[in-house]
Amino acid sequence: MSFNAIVIEEVEGKARASVKQLEVKDLPDNDVLVDIAYSTINFKDGLALAGNKSKIARKLPMVGGIDLAGTVAESKSPAFKPGDKVLVNGYGLSEAHWGGYTQKQRVKSEWLVRLPAAFSARQAMAVGTAGYTAMLCVLALEDYGIKPDGREILVTGAAGGVGSVAIALLAKLGYKVVASTGRPETHDYLKGLGAAECIDRATLSEKGAPLAKERWAGAVDSVGSQTLATVLGQVAYGGAVAACGLAAGADLPATVLPFILRGVALLGVDSVNAPMQKRQRAWDRLAKDLDAKKLDAMTEIVPLAKAIELAPKILAGQVKGRIVVDVNA
Ligand SMILES: NC(=O)c1ccc[n+]([C@@H]2O[C@H](COP(=O)([O-])OP(=O)(O)OC[C@H]3O[C@@H](n4cnc5c(N)ncnc54)[C@H](OP(=O)(O)O)[C@@H]3O)[C@@H](O)[C@H]2O)c1
């Protein structure tokens, strides 16, 4: 029986994404077959779907979707059995391996995380890679010793996926969160997630002094480039920035002065190849510390084909919060 999948393939020398019919025999030879319920759209999915920018999919044809959640249908692994609820984030889905924009996929058992009891498959994909990365950023700040002590924590790219979840998490944990956004119309939304104040991202995307007035106890940055450089110059003595993104660019036009004169730390965060123990820790904490009502407030659900239409929008920074993809609609 055939089923729907978004396949990125080369057409007249260009990468093009479209909904195709696949059969189970077309799927890769991995040890667990998953009936997928939901996937999601992350920034990287936007790159892959909109012409495979930055060559996200390293070989074509590729089934897109860096995340998936669903139910095990068949398993050659003793660790999983039919009926188990599972999810996958990253691990090269949509890059080196076929991903989650499909009704069925075969994946490696070692990539699977058991769906936390606190979440439905839809909620897990509302979290998705963006939300799980936001949790990794919060854990990085916590592990570094940044505590909720009344000083301000900055979140850049605030109205995006990583930013929205980071704000909800930090606010619930008692941090005073300042949201940096380029969209004034999202201020009420961001305050609803728990931001104490919103600032215009233009104030951070301009070149700042290498050592400016000390303001932030810590920061979660999904923007990179000049924004990250300017933020580093504003971090208070002993503070830290968890850096996970490049929405504005992959460059970092900074000086070493914040590091060597204020002991500021730049904490790199990767979600794709994070070891299973770290993933499990992040999902356990998401189950405990992410407010379900706030998650619902930041989530929109779209049918499979709509993911292709939304790809340029997430790249243009026009998507608010998180988008869940119902692969069976
Ligand atoms: N390290 C990892 O493992 C990992 C995992 C997930 C995501 N990421 C990266 O994190 C970034 C955010 O991902 P996402 O899924 O949250 O994407 P997203 O939903 O598109 O959010 C990005 C946000 O950044 C802001 N932004 C966009 N373009 C900008 C620009 N030119 N200058 C300043 N701000 C800009 C916008 O927020 P405002 O409208 O509020 O300003 C936008 O909503 C991406 O670069 C993604 O690749 C990395």
Side-chain angles (χ1 to χ4, degrees):
M1 221 172 61
S2 64
F3 53 86
N4 295 327
I6 296 180
V7 181
I8 305 158
E9 57 193 346
E10 199 171 304
V11 180
E12 293 168 359
K14 288 192 176 148
R16 205 189 67 184
S18 62
V19 177
K20 299 257 171 194
Q21 298 287 298
L22 295 180
E23 293 183 20
V24 170
K25 67 174 170 47
D26 301 323
L27 298 176
D29 185 23
N30 293 319
D31 58 350
V32 178
L33 177 69
V34 181
D35 284 333
I36 299 176
Y38 296 97
S39 182
T40 169
I41 307 180
N42 299 279
F43 192 85
K44 194 186 269 179
D45 293 309
L47 293 169
L49 291 176
N52 198 25
K53 293 187 171 63
S54 307
K55 296 239 177 329
I56 295 295
R58 297 202 281 276
K59 55 186 182 201
L60 300 180
M62 173 64 69
V63 174
I66 68 171
D67 289 322
L68 63 84
T71 306
V72 172
E74 291 170 17
S75 175
K76 290 181 193 156
S77 159
F80 293 93
K81 58 178 190 321
D84 286 349
K85 307 279 185 206
V86 293
L87 64 94
V88 184
N89 299 121
Y91 271 130
L93 295 192
S94 178
E95 300 185 78
H97 311 290
W98 281 15
Y101 291 154
T102 168
Q103 294 176 280
K104 291 175 187 290
Q105 190 57 276
R106 270 207 210 97
V107 294
K108 289 194 177 38
S109 49
E110 58 262 34
W111 303 338
L112 292 171
V113 169
R114 284 181 196 282
L115 189 71
F119 294 126
S120 64
R122 178 182 59 73
Q123 287 172 315
M125 288 296 95
V127 174
T129 283
Y132 139 69
T133 302
M135 188 76 243
L136 291 176
C137 289
V138 173
L139 289 171
L141 292 176
E142 277 185 355
D143 290 349
Y144 191 73
I146 309 294
K147 295 194 170 66
D149 58 5
R151 293 182 302 154
E152 293 170 317
I153 302 285
L154 175 70
V155 174
T156 65
V162 173
S164 294
V165 179
I167 292 167
L169 286 168
L170 288 163
K172 167 105 187 278
L173 292 166
Y175 291 90
K176 184 173 182 191
V177 187
V178 176
S180 165
T181 182
R183 291 180 273 178
E185 68 276 17
T186 63
H187 285 188
D188 286 347
Y189 161 78
L190 295 169
K191 288 186 175 159
L193 294 181
E197 184 186 337
C198 298
I199 61 168
D200 183 350
R201 80 183 191 198
T203 62
L204 300 174
S205 56
E206 286 161 15
K207 192 164 192 264
L211 292 175
K213 187 164 182 285
E214 296 175 51
R215 179 163 184 189
W216 318 115
V220 172
D221 177 58
S222 63
V223 171
S225 194
Q226 184 61 55
T227 296
L228 177 53
T230 301
V231 170
L232 283 167
Q234 299 177 354
V235 175
Y237 193 95
V241 180
C244 72
L246 42 57
D251 60 325
L252 181 53
T255 77
V256 297
L257 296 181
F259 310 129
I260 65 174
L261 296 178
R262 288 184 179 162
V264 168
L266 184 54
L267 311 171
V269 172
D270 165 64
S271 67
V272 178
N273 293 307
M276 185 51 80
Q277 201 190 1
K278 202 169 185 179
R279 288 167 189 263
Q280 202 59 65
R281 180 176 173 223
W283 277 100
D284 290 348
R285 283 292 304 273
L286 282 160
K288 191 163 147 265
D289 294 325
L290 184 57
D291 185 309
K293 281 206 187 87
K294 287 184 181 170
L295 184 63
D296 285 348
M298 67 176 85
T299 307
E300 184 192 343
I301 303 179
V302 300
L304 184 64
K306 186 90 189 283
I308 302 169
E309 261 174 65
L310 287 171
K313 292 209 166 119
I314 195 163
L315 298 184
Q318 290 166 0
V319 163
K320 191 179 82 180
R322 301 281 302 126
I323 296 193
V324 168
V325 177
D326 182 346
V327 299
N328 299 298

